[in-house]
Amino acid sequence: MPIIIKMEKKFRPKQWEDRLIEFWEKNKYFQAQVNKDKEPFVIILPPPNANGSLHVGHAMYVYEDILIRYYKLKGREVLWLPGEDHAGFETWFVFEQELKKKGKSKLDFDREVLYQMVYDFVNEKRGIMRKQLKKLGFALDWSKSKFTLDQDIIHIVYLTFKKLFDQGLVYRGLRVVNYCVNCQTSFSDLEVEYEEEKSKLWTIRYPLADRSGYVLVATTRPETMIGDTAVAVNPNDKRYKKLIGKKVSLPLANREIPIVADLAVDPDFGTGAVKVTPAHSEVDWQIAQRHNLPLVQIIDFDGRANENALKYQGLTVFEFRQAVVADLRQQGFLVEEKDYQHRVGKCYKCKTTIEPLAKEQWFVKIKPLVDKVKPLLERNEVKIYPNRFKQQLINWLNKLYDWNISRQIVWGIRIPAYQCQDQSNLECKKHNGWFVELTTPKKCPYCDSEKFIQDEDTFDTWFSSGQWPYATLMSLASNGKNLLSLEQYKSLSFFKYFYPTTVMETGFDILSRWVSRMLMLGVFAVGETPFYNVLLHGLVRDQYGQKMSKSKGNVIDPLELVDKYGADALRAALIFNTKVGSDINMSEEKVVAMRNFANKVWNIGRFIYLGINTEKSSAKTSESVEAVIKDLLNEYKTVEKKFHQLFKRFNLTMAFDLLYNFIWHRFADYYLEKLKDAVWQGDEYALDSLKTVYLSLLRLLNPYMPFVTEAIALSLSNKSFYDEIGS
């Protein structure tokens, strides 16, 4: 047992932390098992990306650790399940940077070699991350850790994809996608970051084909006009009613295109008439579908104009724009050019402007999945904390387009879709030869051809991580050995006991990207919500409220702070005087303040320790001392009741502030001062009362500051808090 018999004058975290971590693991306090005599309390750790080291954002897992330790002490069967995310594109981006440093590129290796290189890179990082999470005292059940590329996890992801495919909820189609020409992959709508950008708004004259006049069209992307297949106006716009159905001559392209009426057009934007370029705009693509317009793609996946761009072929987008504007001006089609500020989509990693391009991809039909999730939110069967995010999530769900789950990268879970090369019967042609199998097939299920190829793309990481709650528990339920069907997994006792999980705690910034998808996929695959509660925390910022970044030099290394002040100090600093769901302003001074609080708690314990271990003559309790003790016990009961009420509402921050203020300003500064003389005079009742309340306070404080509280408990009573309720 990691017990130091003599309590030193000062709490020394380094003397305790590693020994307590080893002690907790050795005693298996946080290894969960099916126990029908206990109600489970389950949290699935949002899997950190297995491509780097711990940053201060990961330290926010402290919210989950607090909940796990609290409910462990309440006698629940707790499971906090760890794991790592292969983080497809995120890891691929980091790895490509590593290759560049060595003067290499992905083109220097074949697919299998490249995949293994990334796998080895990730495996090294996974081990580092695990050690770092342990340093913060996180009570994870490491015996059950999972990885998104474990074979049984991949199998479950494939099961979900095949179920979606068989029910017609996933399809392969040509649609406009968000494409990064630098990273050479597509993204879903939720992965695009938008930035305000100063640009121009150009007004262009489109002559009517019958030469009876012209239409003025406003655009921020004049270069794409070479791919226009219509001009659109709002059907209720009186200015253009007589022109609907006519044609215009497309400047610079020498072809005619129709004028169509569509409600998607905003009459107040520009001139009220807009160009329609279906191959380079999601909105325009939808207009094209409604009016049966052709697609003319003029920008290729390398970010340069292609053969459809006529004389502009080979130019970059910027060069293309400059050349088109110059020609419009020279030929008299440019009416106006004015400054304009608007939001432009950017690749969230390299910050390249996203290019909307038409590409065949796999898409998930969102609406049928959303329709099953929204009632759960509206009926509060899934509760969101803080509640203000509930409507935000519903609004996001209402606005989602079909989800592009294809990624043009090697790293990740390869899509188990195959295309028959013969397509020798109508059934095969009806599906364009595409079919889905869980394992490598021997022949096409439609026409029996043995000629087929597998899709080169991998799944969007959010597609696999969106299945994380049920995939991990299904895997563990079968001991990771048997590859079963979804229905078989669902029937296993381990899965039925721990699923649905109790709380999903994560940052509010991935509410749309991850929480929404876990809800959709969980309800679809299992028939139940993956979790009953969603608890959201804010972003960790510097002391001035600025976003942390290496370029600003304001990044905080959590492990450096742990090394200097102890894990308890960092943990408490992330909680103290904050508001659930709001951003957290973090500074070293705040960590120092919490280190001082840890020392205060230790010093109270040392006073009681010395009171127990110092020989004194026995003294009778006076009436005045009895009165003080009565007040102490009454006030403590009030604090304890309020503390538990706050926890039920997941208000962990206010609960900590309540303890902090009571321990420091009432228990230490008031009651201890009132009773210390009686203790030194040998009043056993006063000492026992202080010890009883103090140990009760430590028990409440333990989830927040487990090291100092366990160290004191072991020193005073030779017993862990977790021994009292069993492992």
Side-chain angles (χ1 to χ4, degrees):
M1 265 186 133
I3 298 172
I4 298 173
I5 299 301
K6 184 178 179 181
M7 286 185 73
E8 296 187 4
K9 289 184 178 180
K10 195 174 183 181
F11 176 58
R12 302 182 189 280
K14 288 182 181 179
Q15 200 173 35
W16 283 96
E17 288 176 348
D18 288 344
R19 300 174 75 182
L20 281 171
I21 291 166
E22 183 183 351
F23 172 65
W24 293 328
E25 288 189 4
K26 183 180 178 181
N27 285 279
K28 301 181 180 180
Y29 289 134
F30 297 99
Q31 281 193 25
Q33 57 188 355
V34 175
N35 185 341
K36 293 183 179 179
D37 293 330
K38 290 184 177 182
E39 184 181 355
F41 184 91
V42 188
I43 298 178
I44 307 293
L45 179 82
N49 294 345
N51 58 27
S53 298
L54 187 73
H55 57 71
V56 75
H58 292 118
M60 291 303 291
Y61 290 148
V62 69
Y63 276 79
E64 295 165 45
D65 191 57
I66 291 165
L67 287 166
I68 286 294
R69 289 179 181 273
Y70 173 83
Y71 281 100
K72 175 70 175 180
L73 293 171
K74 294 282 282 184
R76 300 275 284 273
E77 186 65 28
V78 299
L79 169 60
W80 190 16
L81 183 63
E84 300 94 12
D85 194 336
H86 70 278
F89 175 67
E90 295 265 350
T91 298
W92 182 250
F93 185 85
V94 171
F95 185 73
E96 279 205 288
Q97 305 310 306
E98 294 294 316
L99 285 180
K100 286 177 184 177
K101 290 176 186 176
K102 298 174 182 176
K104 301 281 187 180
S105 84
K106 61 184 178 183
L107 301 177
D108 296 325
F109 311 93
D110 63 32
R111 185 185 184 109
E112 288 72 26
V113 170
L114 198 57
Y115 183 93
Q116 189 59 48
M117 288 170 66
V118 187
Y119 198 95
D120 293 342
F121 169 76
V122 163
N123 257 350
E124 181 184 342
K125 300 294 184 183
R126 286 172 65 197
I128 295 170
M129 182 74 78
R130 180 175 294 198
K131 290 177 183 176
Q132 292 173 329
L133 291 171
K134 286 186 178 183
K135 286 292 289 182
L136 283 166
F138 293 151
L140 290 149
D141 185 349
W142 291 107
S143 69
K144 297 179 178 62
S145 184
K146 298 301 299 178
F147 181 39
T148 49
L149 293 184
D150 288 345
Q151 285 305 307
D152 53 340
I153 295 292
I154 293 174
H155 172 70
I156 293 164
V157 170
Y158 281 1
L159 287 172
T160 302
F161 182 68
K162 182 160 176 46
K163 184 177 180 180
L164 286 164
F165 180 81
D166 291 345
Q167 294 188 16
L169 295 175
V170 69
Y171 62 93
R172 186 172 176 85
L174 179 68
R175 292 191 60 158
V176 171
V177 298
N178 304 298
Y179 197 85
C180 176
V181 297
N182 179 51
C183 295
Q184 292 283 290
T185 187
S186 60
F187 296 106
S188 72
D189 298 319
L190 294 176
E191 292 170 287
V192 178
E193 291 185 351
Y194 288 88
E195 296 178 5
E196 288 292 327
E197 195 170 276
K198 291 180 179 179
S199 182
K200 301 286 184 181
L201 183 66
W202 290 272
T203 302
I204 304 165
R205 182 183 289 109
Y206 281 49
L208 292 170
D210 61 9
R211 300 185 181 182
S212 63
Y214 55 83
V215 177
L216 296 181
V217 173
T219 181
T220 58
R221 298 204 63 186
E223 70 278 9
T224 61
M225 67 180 294
I226 305 302
D228 285 359
T229 56
V231 168
V233 297
N234 190 291
N236 300 316
D237 193 331
K238 295 179 181 179
R239 294 172 295 177
Y240 299 110
K241 276 192 177 291
K242 292 182 180 180
L243 298 181
I244 295 169
K246 289 192 173 186
K247 292 187 176 182
V248 295
S249 296
L250 183 60
L252 310 183
N254 194 30
R255 58 187 171 87
E256 295 182 357
I257 57 176
I259 299 173
V260 299
D262 199 284
L263 289 170
V265 179
D266 179 2
D268 297 324
F269 174 76
T271 62
V274 297
K275 54 195 286 305
V276 180
T277 319
H280 297 283
S281 163
E282 171 67 26
V283 174
D284 292 5
W285 182 86
Q286 291 181 16
I287 292 174
Q289 297 304 298
R290 290 191 286 271
H291 298 276
N292 199 27
L293 301 173
L295 273 69
V296 180
Q297 187 154 333
I298 55 167
I299 298 170
D300 238 326
F301 297 100
D302 60 359
R304 292 182 177 272
N306 63 20
E307 65 277 7
N308 294 328
L310 308 175
K311 71 174 188 175
Y312 307 104
Q313 182 177 358
L315 298 181
T316 65
V317 172
F318 181 71
E319 294 167 342
F320 191 3
R321 181 175 299 177
Q322 286 184 312
V324 166
V325 170
D327 287 347
L328 288 171
R329 183 177 285 113
Q330 183 184 21
Q331 296 180 34
F333 293 114
L334 187 62
V335 176
E336 185 182 33
E337 177 184 288
K338 64 180 182 180
D339 292 337
Y340 187 72
Q341 185 162 316
H342 63 137
R343 295 171 75 242
V344 177
K346 301 284 183 178
C347 171
Y348 75 102
K349 291 304 289 184
C350 73
K351 304 306 177 186
T352 299
T353 297
I354 287 292
E355 201 61 55
L357 297 173
K359 186 172 179 61
E360 262 202 22
Q361 305 275 259
W362 289 99
F363 294 89
V364 175
K365 288 183 180 178
I366 288 295
K367 191 175 185 305
L369 304 185
V370 166
D371 286 346
K372 290 186 176 181
V373 169
K374 277 169 52 183
L376 299 178
L377 294 167
E378 290 163 350
R379 294 195 299 261
N380 276 331
E381 291 178 32
V382 177
K383 296 178 181 177
I384 311 291
Y385 300 88
N387 188 60
R388 68 178 183 274
F389 289 105
K390 172 183 167 180
Q391 192 57 48
Q392 194 177 107
L393 178 56
I394 292 172
N395 291 342
W396 269 325
L397 291 171
N398 287 333
K399 293 176 182 177
L400 289 178
Y401 291 120
D402 285 357
W403 175 13
N404 167 22
I405 56 172
S406 298
R407 296 295 176 269
Q408 291 72 57
I409 59 175
V410 169
W411 179 242
I413 301 175
R414 192 170 178 182
I415 297 175
Y418 304 82
Q419 187 175 38
C420 177
Q421 299 302 287
D422 287 336
Q423 300 184 37
S424 58
N425 63 25
L426 290 176
E427 184 66 15
C428 196
K429 289 176 181 176
K430 173 185 169 184
H431 293 88
N432 201 23
W434 285 103
F435 60 96
V436 173
E437 294 291 348
L438 301 177
T439 56
T440 304
K442 293 181 179 179
K443 61 182 181 180
C444 170
Y446 306 125
C447 69
D448 292 336
S449 169
E450 295 181 0
K451 295 179 182 178
F452 50 82
I453 56 173
Q454 186 175 357
D455 192 331
E456 291 285 331
D457 290 352
T458 54
F459 282 126
D460 172 11
T461 302
W462 297 107
F463 181 72
S464 54
S465 62
Q467 302 174 52
W468 197 235
Y470 68 84
T472 50
L473 293 173
M474 285 179 173
S475 163
L476 292 167
S478 65
N479 294 317
K481 296 175 183 177
N482 301 315
L483 302 182
L484 309 175
S485 69
L486 287 174
E487 290 304 313
Q488 288 172 322
Y489 279 123
K490 285 163 56 178
S491 69
L492 298 175
S493 59
F494 182 94
F495 183 79
K496 290 165 72 175
Y497 181 72
F498 288 111
Y499 189 94
T501 66
T502 314
V503 182
M504 171 49 62
E505 192 283 327
T506 189
F508 71 73
D509 55 321
I510 55 175
L511 180 63
S512 58
R513 279 184 286 179
W514 192 40
V515 175
S516 64
R517 284 155 172 172
M518 283 189 287
L519 284 166
M520 287 188 285
L521 292 172
V523 172
F524 168 75
V526 183
E528 291 182 272
T529 177
F531 32 74
Y532 295 118
N533 302 283
V534 177
L535 176 61
L536 301 168
H537 65 249
L539 302 178
V540 183
R541 299 183 178 274
D542 71 10
Q543 60 185 316
Y544 305 110
Q546 296 294 310
K547 187 175 181 179
M548 291 186 187
S549 70
K550 290 180 181 178
S551 60
K552 291 179 182 177
N554 63 350
V555 174
I556 292 176
D557 182 341
L559 295 179
E560 283 185 10
L561 294 174
V562 169
D563 190 58
K564 287 174 72 174
Y565 306 111
D568 284 336
L570 175 63
R571 292 166 61 106
L574 290 165
I575 297 293
F576 179 63
N577 205 21
T578 63
K579 190 177 180 182
V580 175
S582 298
D583 289 349
I584 298 150
N585 291 356
M586 190 67 173
S587 67
E588 189 164 349
E589 289 76 12
K590 196 175 181 185
V591 182
V592 170
M594 292 300 101
R595 187 274 314 272
N596 294 342
F597 178 55
N599 285 335
K600 185 75 171 179
V601 172
W602 177 267
N603 290 337
I604 299 169
R606 191 165 182 275
F607 172 83
I608 294 171
Y609 172 85
L610 292 173
I612 295 170
N613 292 282
T614 302
E615 288 188 15
K616 304 177 292 295
S617 58
S618 180
K620 188 179 179 182
T621 305
S622 67
E623 288 185 8
S624 60
V625 167
E626 282 189 353
V628 171
I629 292 171
K630 184 179 179 182
D631 289 345
L632 168 61
L633 295 173
N634 287 336
E635 188 170 353
Y636 168 74
K637 286 179 182 177
T638 301
V639 168
E640 182 187 37
K641 183 179 179 181
K642 188 173 181 182
F643 177 84
H644 291 307
Q645 288 172 342
L646 288 167
F647 246 88
K648 285 181 181 177
R649 301 198 298 269
F650 294 104
N651 201 331
L652 314 187
T653 58
M654 282 187 70
F656 178 75
D657 291 351
L658 176 71
L659 281 184
Y660 174 90
N661 286 312
F662 181 74
I663 291 171
W664 194 307
H665 301 300
R666 296 297 294 160
F667 188 78
D669 290 354
Y670 180 74
Y671 289 111
L672 199 62
E673 288 298 318
K674 288 278 189 181
L675 297 174
K676 68 179 181 181
D677 288 341
V679 170
W680 291 124
Q681 290 166 10
D683 188 330
E684 293 294 332
Y685 180 55
L687 178 60
D688 288 345
S689 298
L690 282 171
K691 180 184 175 183
T692 300
V693 174
Y694 177 62
L695 286 174
S696 297
L697 286 167
L698 289 184
R699 188 183 174 91
L700 298 180
L701 186 61
N702 176 267
Y704 298 94
M705 305 178 83
F707 292 107
V708 68
T709 52
E710 273 280 84
I712 296 168
L714 288 165
S715 298
L716 290 181
S717 62
N718 204 32
K719 192 192 306 184
S720 165
F721 283 119
Y722 306 111
D723 284 330
E724 297 176 22
I725 40 85
S727 61

